[in-house]
């Protein structure tokens, strides 16, 4: 039995979390390995430039399985030393993979995204939500912290002060407020979510693939590099881009179109 659904179409990889009976909880080796495998498969396909992540059923993801926490089963079993290694080797691998990918990533948030589920959405470059979407950093209510790296992700999306407020209170944010805070770029009706996400994903996928991936790499590196180092990287990647067939074809098409417009005006 698989815990995810994965397809590739027109340069877009679609990954659906498919454990609706537990609200797409992320805990469990099988779920995590399937997600990581899907990311790797999408990255290794040169025709793919966009990865969409969404949830099946009424929730995007409930994050950790609280019943497993209560029973101290699965990834929640063990001594403090063992749990440290478990976090490093399970949920933190997902955070690292999403942070490291050169794919443009989109979260299509169909319902509640809670705890690590919220962080999975935050790890995507773009987020479109259903009006049924809700978000909460509920770790503190369970007497724990965002062990998946969520305290690194949240301030980068909403700013330090708002991140602190959301983390300290564990309150829920509805879709309308999520748009205002920049968590979502837009909220649409549930019936429109897949179509609107597809429109955005296919628009990005229609661009030169190497440019999408290299631009994503630059955006990622901008978080940690100083200006001089970043400019050097930009120059090197730009030099590579100038020698791709996609660039030459795009420039030729642009010049031909411009010349045609000038001819029509004259």
């Amino acid at each position: 039995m698989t815990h995810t659904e994965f397809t590739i179409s027109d340069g877009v990889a679609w990954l659906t979390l498919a454990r609706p009976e537990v609200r797409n909880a992320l805990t469990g080796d099988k779920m995590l390995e399937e997600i990581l495998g899907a990311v790797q498969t999408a990255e290794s396909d040169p025709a793919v430039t966009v990865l969409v992540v969404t949830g099946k059923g009424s929730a995007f993801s409930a994050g950790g399985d609280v019943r497993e926490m209560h029973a101290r089963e699965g990834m929640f079993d063990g001594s403090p030393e063992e749990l440290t290694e478990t976090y490093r080797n399970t949920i933190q691998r997902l955070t690292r993979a999403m942070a490291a990918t050169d794919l443009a990533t989109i979260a299509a948030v169909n319902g509640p995204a809670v705890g690590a589920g919220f962080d999975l959405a935050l790890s995507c470059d773009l987020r479109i939500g259903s009006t049924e979407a809700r978000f909460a950093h509920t770790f503190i209510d369970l007497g724990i912290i965002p062990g998946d790296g969520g305290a690194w992700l949240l301030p980068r999306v909403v700013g330090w002060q708002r991140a602190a407020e959301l983390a300290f209170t564990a309150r829920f944010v509805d879709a309308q407020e999520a748009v205002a805070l920049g968590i979502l770029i837009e909220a649409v009706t549930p019936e429109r979510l897949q179509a609107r996400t597809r429109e955005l994903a296919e628009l990005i996928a229609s661009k030169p693939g190497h440019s999408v991936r290299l631009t994503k790499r630059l955006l990622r590196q901008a978080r940690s590099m100083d200006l001089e180092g970043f400019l050097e990287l930009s120059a090197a990647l730009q030099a590579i881009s100038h020698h791709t067939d996609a660039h030459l074809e795009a420039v030729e098409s642009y010049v031909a179109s411009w010349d045609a417009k000038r001819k029509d005006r004259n």
Side-chain angles (χ1 to χ4, degrees):
M1 178 180 177
T2 59
H3 290 171
T4 60
E5 297 171 0
F6 182 69
T7 60
I8 294 176
S9 176
D10 298 323
V12 181
W14 294 82
L15 172 62
T16 302
L17 310 180
R19 297 181 69 200
E21 70 280 3
V22 290
R23 298 173 67 78
N24 300 321
L26 294 173
T27 45
D29 291 343
K30 188 169 179 59
M31 170 70 101
L32 288 169
E33 290 302 327
E34 287 183 18
I35 296 172
L36 291 167
V39 175
Q40 185 176 25
T41 298
E43 286 181 326
S44 64
D45 187 338
V48 174
T49 52
V50 183
L51 171 66
V52 176
V53 182
T54 192
K56 188 173 186 177
S58 61
F60 178 76
S61 175
D65 190 329
V66 179
R67 291 187 180 277
E68 286 189 0
M69 289 186 200
H70 180 259
R72 299 202 172 187
E73 296 175 345
M75 68 172 289
F76 307 111
D77 179 35
S79 67
E81 293 80 8
E82 290 169 331
L83 284 170
T84 298
E85 289 304 310
T86 297
Y87 269 86
R88 287 173 178 161
N89 295 319
T90 55
I91 193 69
Q92 288 188 357
R93 288 175 61 205
L94 175 57
T95 305
R96 291 190 185 97
M98 293 300 291
T101 183
D102 286 342
L103 299 171
T105 52
I106 304 173
V109 187
N110 54 299
V114 180
F118 185 9
D119 292 337
L120 176 58
L122 291 171
S123 72
C124 292
D125 304 312
L126 304 169
R127 291 165 294 279
I128 297 177
S130 155
T131 49
E132 299 296 318
R134 300 169 70 224
F135 303 87
H137 242 216
T138 53
F139 302 96
I140 205 164
D141 277 350
L142 297 172
I144 55 177
I145 55 94
D148 61 338
W152 188 89
L153 295 166
L154 187 59
R156 285 165 169 76
V157 174
V158 301
W160 175 269
Q161 179 173 238
R162 184 60 71 187
E165 186 259 332
L166 293 177
F168 294 156
T169 66
R171 72 176 179 87
F172 276 82
V173 172
D174 64 19
Q176 182 178 2
E177 185 181 5
V179 173
L181 292 178
I183 296 169
L184 295 175
I185 58 173
E186 62 182 290
V188 298
T189 62
E191 297 77 19
R192 276 280 296 153
L193 180 62
Q194 184 172 8
R196 179 66 189 102
T197 304
R198 186 177 298 278
E199 289 172 5
L200 179 60
E202 291 183 351
L203 174 61
I204 297 170
S206 72
K207 309 300 182 183
H210 79 279
S211 292
V212 174
R213 289 194 180 216
L214 292 184
T215 299
K216 171 63 181 288
R217 191 177 302 177
L218 281 176
L219 289 170
R220 186 175 70 246
Q221 294 298 328
R223 289 175 166 177
S224 58
M225 296 182 71
D226 62 28
L227 178 59
E228 287 306 315
F230 185 76
L231 290 175
E232 284 298 314
L233 176 62
S234 298
L237 295 182
Q238 186 73 307
I240 293 170
S241 297
H242 275 294
H243 283 267
T244 62
D245 291 340
H247 165 68
L248 298 175
E249 291 168 5
V251 170
E252 184 175 342
S253 176
Y254 181 89
V255 171
S257 176
W258 180 256
D259 287 345
K261 290 178 182 177
R262 288 183 62 187
K263 184 176 179 181
D264 289 343
R265 286 198 298 267
N266 296 333

